[in-house]
């Protein structure tokens, strides 16, 4: 019933090295900060990340804020050679990949 933002941290060979919920919000939003995500990626020595969050509304369509946050995390990661592979939005009616939708 609440939004949760999870990051899967991967090594250079795309093996999962850490999985962490980076924020739990309300029914309509979750607040996460790119610097917190990048700091955690550096702590666990990640080279790549997969961002995942849910939409309790049931509609997996990414919001403008989802797209903007993804762009900010990607830009912050570039400074440290950490890439974002995709951002997946999950809802009861399905899921949407921002990469597949050309939103990143």
């Amino acid at each position: 019933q609440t939004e949760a933002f999870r990051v899967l941290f991967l090594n250079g060979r795309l093996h999962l090295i850490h999985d962490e919920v980076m924020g739990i919000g309300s029914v309509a939003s979750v607040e996460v900060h790119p610097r917190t995500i990048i700091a955690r990626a550096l702590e666990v020595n990640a080279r790549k990340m997969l961002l995942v969050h849910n939409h309790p509304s049931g509609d997996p369509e990414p919001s403008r804020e989802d797209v903007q946050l993804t762009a900010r995390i990607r830009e912050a990661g570039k400074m440290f050679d950490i890439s974002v592979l995709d951002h997946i939005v999950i809802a009861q009616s399905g899921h949407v990949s921002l990469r597949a939708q050309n939103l990143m």
Side-chain angles (χ1 to χ4, degrees):
Q1 299 296 349
T2 59
E3 254 187 60
F5 194 96
R6 171 175 241 115
V7 180
L8 291 101
F9 297 96
L10 310 168
N11 66 16
R13 293 184 166 201
L14 303 179
H15 294 142
L16 180 66
I17 54 176
H18 189 70
D19 172 7
E20 186 170 337
V21 174
M22 299 297 294
I24 296 177
S26 67
V27 172
S29 68
V30 61
E31 187 173 329
V32 294
H33 299 281
R35 68 180 178 181
T36 305
I37 292 170
I38 299 306
R40 191 67 175 132
L42 291 168
E43 288 173 2
V44 300
N45 293 315
R47 296 291 313 273
K48 301 182 184 305
M49 298 182 293
L50 180 61
L51 312 176
V52 182
H53 84 279
N54 66 309
H55 279 178
S57 68
D59 180 7
E61 196 61 36
S63 68
R64 183 180 69 228
E65 292 81 10
D66 294 339
V67 174
Q68 290 172 345
L69 176 61
T70 304
R72 290 175 55 219
I73 295 169
R74 289 181 73 202
E75 280 302 309
K78 284 179 185 178
M79 297 173 69
F80 300 97
D81 197 27
I82 300 168
S83 60
V84 176
L85 299 176
D86 203 347
H87 184 165
I88 309 293
V89 181
I90 299 171
Q92 190 154 5
S93 64
H95 66 279
V96 172
S97 157
L98 271 71
R99 181 165 300 283
Q101 297 291 318
N102 293 317
L103 297 173
M104 59 178 291

